[in-house]
Amino acid sequence: MLSIESIVKGFGDQTLFEDAGLQINPGERVGLVGRNGHGKTTLLNMIAGIDHPDDGKIIYPAGYRLGILPQKILFSKTTVRDEAMTGLPPHERDHYWKAEKILAGLGFSTADLDRDPHQFSGGFQVRLNLSKVLVADPDLLILDEPTTYLDITSLRWIP
């Protein structure tokens, strides 16, 4: 369970959060909905440790794993399969079947697995980035504006 207790966050004279709190229990899905500039990305960044509250605390259980879909696309491997496998924890680095299962669910064909990631459209490159996060089996998956980058098939497949 992730717990956010009495956080305060502001920028200049604008207060985004004042004594705010919430709890995310295992298995829950949470969506943040609101107008631009009202703090959705700021809250996600604080949960992810990219930013910090001015006051209050965010408490994670021991061993809690966060998965964050980065918006910047960087590939270091020459095949889709190998790139997806970079998200596997060190003790599972040879478990290629986990990556293949997730890639198939995200719409990659068997033939696609041996292709260079740079040959794909931007949408498929985002799916590949998502596969690297999903193979790590995070306790909490953070997707900032997922409908901007993922199609409905990919969104339905996310566990």
Side-chain angles (χ1 to χ4, degrees), residues 68-131:
I68 304 162
L69 179 62
Q71 293 182 8
K72 188 170 185 175
I73 296 176
L74 296 173
F75 299 132
S76 62
K77 302 296 181 183
T78 58
T79 69
V80 167
R81 179 188 299 105
D82 289 343
E83 188 65 35
M85 289 176 61
T86 63
L88 288 166
H91 65 282
E92 295 181 351
R93 286 288 185 210
D94 61 343
H95 295 181
Y96 64 88
W97 60 90
K98 289 184 176 185
E100 289 179 355
K101 176 183 172 187
I102 290 170
L103 289 165
L106 292 174
F108 288 89
S109 70
T110 302
D112 290 338
L113 302 181
D114 293 316
R115 290 179 54 199
D116 187 313
H118 296 98
Q119 295 177 342
F120 288 86
S121 69
F124 269 87
Q125 289 182 354
V126 171
R127 291 180 195 192
L128 179 52
N129 260 2
L130 177 60
S131 75

Side-chain angles (χ1 to χ4, degrees), residues 2-11 14-22 24 32 38-60 64 66 68 140 142 144:
L2 172 84
S3 181
I4 298 175
E5 299 177 357
S6 302
I7 62 168
V8 174
K9 184 66 175 179
F11 295 98
Q14 182 183 14
T15 301
L16 291 176
F17 301 102
E18 185 172 342
D19 197 31
L22 69 97
I24 302 174
L32 298 176
H38 285 179
K40 298 179 302 291
T41 297
T42 298
L43 179 60
L44 293 177
N45 285 341
M46 288 189 293
I47 292 171
I50 297 167
D51 198 353
H52 303 284
D54 298 332
D55 199 5
K57 54 188 170 180
I58 300 175
I59 303 166
Y60 311 90
Y64 199 74
L66 289 175
I68 304 162
L140 178 64
I142 297 176
D144 191 2

